[in-house]
Amino acid sequence: MTRGATFLAALAERPVITDGWPEGRQARVRARFLANCLRELDRFLHGLLDELGASAGHVVREDQRNTANKLRAYGVPAAGVFATGGALVSADEARLRALGRSSACLIHCNGWVRRPDVAGGDTMTVGWRETSGPALARYALGTRLAPGAAEIIDVCGFYDRLGDRLLLTSPLAA
């Protein structure tokens, strides 16, 4: 997981990313490339949760494809908890869900925000933080996700820190 996050963070510093978001067909290529990168990081975390869960005596569900749900089932102390839609959700779980939305938006809509987080809403929360603070960034409907180096590095840092915390923290009893 750390190697994948480190590799992608280093890639984010290369001109292909730092030169700005391309136009036309190249924008579609960039959006799909970044979506695949996000999905790879998610799969690394998914595999780590499976291995740690099995070693802790948890029943590992092969049919559980959602990493945020797998993290909740694994059960580690949350980095923060807040209410969303009437349920308590860990900050890590919420961010993983936002990263899933971001990836889906990039791959299926070429980065154009077409759906809000909640029914009737007018924004979508993404998996990287605002440049001015710890809150996750929000994009209005009709705008384009165009993550650059800072956003990619932020996401890589999140996965790296979460992986480290998982390795150092015991899960809840199976």
Side-chain angles (χ1 to χ4, degrees), residues 57-87:
H58 286 209
V59 174
V60 176
R61 289 185 41 212
E62 296 295 326
D63 64 330
Q64 176 56 271
R65 306 285 298 164
N66 185 296
T67 306
N69 290 344
K70 190 168 283 259
L71 179 67
R72 183 178 357 102
Y74 180 71
V76 294
V81 178
F82 59 93
T84 178

Side-chain angles (χ1 to χ4, degrees), residues 5-166:
T6 302
F7 176 81
L8 182 55
L11 183 66
E13 295 287 352
R14 300 190 65 188
V16 68
I17 301 295
T18 60
D19 285 349
W21 198 263
E23 294 296 324
R25 185 180 177 331
Q26 292 298 10
R28 178 173 173 76
V29 171
R30 171 80 59 86
R32 288 180 157 254
F33 171 74
L34 290 177
N36 285 332
C37 289
L38 293 176
R39 287 178 175 194
E40 286 297 317
L41 289 174
D42 189 74
R43 291 306 299 161
F44 289 146
L45 177 59
H46 196 91
L48 178 63
L49 285 165
D50 281 347
E51 292 302 316
L52 291 173
S55 69
H58 286 209
V59 174
V60 176
R61 289 185 41 212
E62 296 295 326
D63 64 330
Q64 176 56 271
R65 306 285 298 164
N66 185 296
T67 306
N69 290 344
K70 190 168 283 259
L71 179 67
R72 183 178 357 102
Y74 180 71
V76 294
V81 178
F82 59 93
T84 178
L88 291 179
V89 177
S90 80
D92 297 329
E93 186 181 336
R95 190 162 186 185
L96 288 171
R97 290 185 192 290
L99 283 162
R101 279 191 304 275
S102 303
S103 175
C105 178
L106 287 164
I107 205 156
H108 296 296
C109 302
N110 299 324
W112 291 105
V113 178
R114 305 242 191 268
R115 295 184 181 163
D117 290 351
V118 295
D122 59 357
T123 62
M124 183 182 93
T125 305
V126 294
W128 46 89
R129 293 181 295 187
E130 293 278 355
T131 55
S132 60
L136 294 178
R138 299 176 75 75
Y139 286 73
L141 295 179
T143 59
R144 172 174 250 158
L145 301 185
E151 292 83 3
I152 295 167
I153 290 168
D154 179 57
V155 169
C156 291
F158 165 71
Y159 275 103
D160 195 30
R161 287 186 304 275
L162 180 55
D164 286 348
R165 194 160 30 94
L166 287 169

